[in-house]
Amino acid sequence: MKKETQDEVEKIQQAILEREVEEELQKERLMNFWKKYRAVIIGGIVLIIGVTVGNEIYRSWLTKTRLAESDQFEQAVLLNYTGNEEQSMAIYQNLADSAKTGYKYLAQMRLAQNALAHNDIQQAGLILKNLMNDSGAPIELRNVARLSFVGNQIDTLPTAELQQELQPLLNSSNAFYGSAVELQAILLMKEKKLSEAKEVLTKAIGLPTLANDEKDRLKELLSIIR
């Protein structure tokens, strides 16, 4: 019995020793791993912290910037309303050149509107074309710029060129489809392609997704084609 007890004790001691050795080896492996990849791990942690802090700083900066640019835009609107057009346009131009938020594009639209008000079709067209081709601008604003460009260049640019500019909007799922069809029909009528103009108008009027007020305008346009 004593021998068996002694053997069991030795086995227990051996198991304890083996576990201690394994723990030491594990610690050693962990230390070796740490020495080898410490820079990478620390760098990753710093990067995560940096990105998180950076995002917070960016959001804070964007909020402050948007507020500042909003104030400038409002100031320009008030100046223009009170007859200080030159000062107003200078602020719009500054926003159009250097703004970091959506006020950059709104300012460009204001500059284009002012050019149109002074019958400067060429300058307005240049501003609108730059805006509608600017991938950084909101798509809705780009579409508005495209419609305005085509609508105001009907008497100055070749019809084929304007028809090409309208193509991105001539999709029935586009929010500006009705207005685009209206311009398309006018361009066709200008070219004396009356049957084609009737066809595009009739097709658009038959769409259930088209708003009633847009359908009414298209029907009115259709009624004048002889």
Side-chain angles (χ1 to χ4, degrees):
M1 293 293 293
K2 289 183 179 180
K3 187 175 184 306
E4 290 177 359
T5 301
Q6 186 175 357
D7 290 341
E8 289 178 0
V9 171
E10 289 178 354
K11 286 179 181 179
I12 292 171
Q13 290 176 337
Q14 181 66 25
I16 293 172
L17 179 61
E18 289 176 357
R19 187 172 63 185
E20 290 176 350
V21 170
E22 179 59 31
E23 287 177 355
E24 287 299 320
L25 289 173
Q26 188 172 346
K27 288 179 182 178
E28 186 176 352
R29 286 194 294 268
L30 182 59
M31 288 302 298
N32 289 336
F33 175 86
W34 176 249
K35 288 177 182 178
K36 184 176 182 179
Y37 295 105
R38 177 173 55 187
V40 176
I41 294 171
I42 292 175
I45 294 171
V46 170
L47 179 62
I48 292 170
I49 294 172
V51 169
T52 303
V53 172
N55 283 337
E56 290 300 322
I57 292 173
Y58 173 75
R59 280 196 290 268
S60 175
W61 169 84
L62 186 61
T63 299
K64 291 178 181 178
T65 302
R66 185 181 290 112
L67 287 173
E69 292 176 0
S70 172
D71 288 343
Q72 291 179 58
F73 191 87
E74 184 178 353
Q75 182 185 9
V77 170
L78 290 173
L79 284 168
N80 194 40
Y81 181 75
T82 54
N84 297 300
E85 184 182 300
E86 187 175 345
Q87 290 177 278
S88 173
M89 292 306 122
I91 295 173
Y92 284 138
Q93 188 63 59
N94 181 59
L95 285 170
D97 292 338
S98 60
K100 301 296 188 294
T101 68
Y103 286 102
K104 175 185 182 73
Y105 310 113
L106 291 175
Q108 290 176 31
M109 286 295 294
R110 286 285 189 170
L111 289 170
Q113 289 170 358
N114 185 68
L116 289 171
H118 288 81
N119 206 31
D120 191 346
I121 305 299
Q122 184 177 2
Q123 178 63 15
L126 180 63
I127 296 170
L128 291 169
K129 191 156 191 175
N130 286 337
L131 178 55
M132 72 190 199
N133 292 325
D134 188 342
S135 60
I139 186 64
E140 293 82 3
L141 199 57
R142 290 167 60 191
N143 288 340
V144 170
R146 187 176 297 277
L147 284 172
S148 183
F149 174 82
V150 174
N152 287 288
Q153 300 290 334
I154 286 178
D155 296 323
T156 57
L157 291 179
T159 301
E161 180 180 338
L162 295 176
Q163 288 279 19
Q164 186 64 33
E165 293 292 359
L166 271 180
Q167 287 306 308
L169 304 180
L170 291 172
N171 184 316
S172 59
S173 62
N174 191 287
F176 299 93
Y177 175 71
S179 297
V181 167
E182 196 171 12
L183 286 174
Q184 183 188 28
I186 291 170
L187 289 169
L188 289 169
M189 291 166 66
K190 184 184 176 187
E191 292 281 286
K192 300 189 185 305
K193 297 178 179 179
L194 302 185
S195 60
E196 291 182 39
K198 284 183 178 180
E199 184 179 346
V200 298
L201 287 170
T202 303
K203 178 183 175 181
I205 291 168
L207 290 175
T209 53
L210 199 65
N212 289 332
D213 59 333
E214 290 183 313
K215 285 186 179 183
D216 290 340
R217 286 206 321 272
L218 296 184
K219 285 177 182 177
E220 185 177 349
L221 183 58
L222 181 61
S223 70
I224 68 174
I225 300 177
R226 297 287 185 268

